[in-house]
Amino acid sequence: MHSVTLKPFTQFNTVKSTHTTPLQSPFGAKNLPLRLNCVHHRRNCRITARAAETDGGAGAGAESQSQSNSSSSFARNQTYALLKQQMELAAKSEDYEEAARLRDSLKLFEEEEPVLRLRGLMKEAIANERFEDAARYRDQIKEIAPHYLLKCSSDATTLGIRVQVRSVYIEGRSQPLRDQYFFAYRIRITNNSNRPVQLLKRHWIITNANEKSEDVWGIGVIGEQPVILPNNSFEYSSACPLTTPSGRMEGDYEMKHIDKVGSKTFNVAVAPFALSTLGDATDNI
């Protein structure tokens, strides 16, 4: 069994890239590596945001409470995504009064939404070194939104092959009212070993907020089976539609060393990363 090293990943700019796809712009919400075209249609839709109420009755069982938490978390995430999308559309159509109203609704939502409120309390507790309180807030977040503590990025190294990932929610390609959420992700694969490798196949496990998983296999990535020389990198961007406002992806690449005939293939891990309309829960912590 191959050893796999996982560690937090924050930025791509620590690795020199000498082999990249044509999509080379930094991966961020305001500077996307994908060229996405979308026709926007104005909707006369007004949304009022409020935090969901929970029933703390003693008769509710653990399983029922868990399902209720999952359902309310889904509804809150959907409302948040709708507010952000409607504010963007209002601003683009120069309806600034509506954009301001939606901005205020979004701010109110962020103040009252349980997960975002708990995140703020957790950050404050960490800053004040109240780690027992921080752990309690973290556990509460896990209970009501299991995906939320997973970062929208990951970093894993297998046999000297490092895979870094960052995902972002694409509001312009999403339709929350139809349960359609669109996420883009950018991947950098760096060969830190002393042998050249070739990426042959990919395998993704995509899980939505309802814990429904789908396995996706394919040859290479974006139509290529790239060869990555020692101390070189390969980057590419792709996207994933989801039927829920959050979820996660993980998987592996099948590779082989090409400096010796008959070399056996091996799998390189892609560590789990979040697909989330809310972004990273651990930013600035």
Side-chain angles (χ1 to χ4, degrees):
M1 180 178 293
H2 302 310
S3 62
V4 178
T5 303
L6 305 181
K7 57 185 177 181
F9 167 61
T10 56
Q11 295 182 351
F12 275 156
N13 57 13
T14 58
V15 180
K16 181 179 180 182
S17 173
T18 56
H19 181 168
T20 65
T21 65
L23 302 173
Q24 297 179 13
S25 60
F27 193 73
K30 295 183 179 180
N31 194 4
L32 294 172
L34 295 178
R35 185 170 298 171
L36 303 174
N37 298 317
C38 181
V39 177
H40 296 290
H41 298 279
R42 286 281 292 145
R43 292 196 184 107
N44 185 17
C45 177
R46 302 180 66 86
I47 303 171
T48 302
R50 57 177 296 181
E53 299 178 358
T54 57
D55 183 2
E63 181 177 355
S64 175
Q65 184 65 41
S66 176
Q67 292 175 349
S68 176
N69 287 336
S70 177
S71 177
S72 61
S73 176
F74 179 94
R76 292 193 303 269
N77 285 352
Q78 185 181 52
T79 299
Y80 188 79
L82 281 167
L83 284 169
K84 291 183 67 177
Q85 185 178 59
Q86 291 296 324
M87 184 177 68
E88 179 187 12
L89 293 175
K92 286 184 177 180
S93 63
E94 299 184 357
D95 186 352
Y96 298 122
E97 182 178 358
E98 178 69 0
R101 187 192 69 80
L102 288 164
R103 177 204 60 201
D104 293 341
S105 294
L106 187 61
K107 183 178 180 181
L108 176 64
F109 181 92
E110 291 174 344
E111 291 174 350
E112 296 185 352
E113 203 284 323
V115 173
L116 296 177
R117 180 177 56 80
L118 286 169
R119 181 179 70 173
L121 292 172
M122 184 172 66
K123 287 183 178 181
E124 181 181 353
I126 292 174
N128 295 325
E129 298 184 356
R130 293 185 288 107
F131 300 117
E132 294 83 359
D133 291 338
R136 185 173 72 255
Y137 296 138
R138 178 203 60 202
D139 292 342
Q140 291 178 25
I141 293 174
K142 284 183 178 179
E143 181 179 352
I144 62 177
H147 294 304
Y148 193 69
L149 290 175
L150 184 63
K151 289 183 69 66
C152 295
S153 61
S154 70
D155 189 340
T157 298
T158 307
L159 295 178
I161 310 301
R162 183 182 185 186
V163 181
Q164 298 164 276
V165 188
R166 180 173 296 281
S167 70
V168 66
Y169 174 56
I170 309 298
E171 295 178 13
R173 290 289 301 273
S174 301
Q175 298 185 60
L177 288 174
R178 297 183 179 181
D179 293 333
Q180 296 175 5
Y181 303 87
F182 195 84
F183 299 90
Y185 56 89
R186 186 162 182 82
I187 296 183
R188 170 178 284 177
I189 305 170
T190 304
N191 184 357
N192 291 322
S193 73
N194 58 6
R195 302 178 64 184
V197 298
Q198 183 175 19
L199 191 160
L200 303 176
K201 300 178 182 179
R202 69 184 184 278
H203 171 220
W204 287 113
I205 304 172
I206 305 170
T207 306
N208 67 19
N210 298 322
E211 290 298 322
K212 182 179 180 181
S213 295
E214 178 184 5
D215 288 85
V216 179
W217 287 269
I219 302 298
V221 292
I222 59 170
E224 300 184 47
Q225 291 182 303
V227 171
I228 310 173
L229 301 177
N231 301 314
N232 280 249
S233 298
F234 178 84
E235 293 184 42
Y236 74 96
S237 298
S238 190
C240 173
L242 210 62
T243 59
T244 58
S246 63
R248 66 181 183 272
M249 287 181 65
E250 58 193 296
D252 56 78
Y253 297 116
E254 183 178 336
M255 297 188 178
K256 71 174 181 180
H257 294 111
I258 59 172
D259 54 345
K260 290 184 180 180
V261 177
S263 295
K264 293 183 178 180
T265 63
F266 61 97
N267 291 332
V268 173
V270 182
F273 60 95
L275 305 171
S276 175
T277 58
L278 300 178
D280 279 338
T282 52
D283 284 346
N284 303 320
I285 290 181

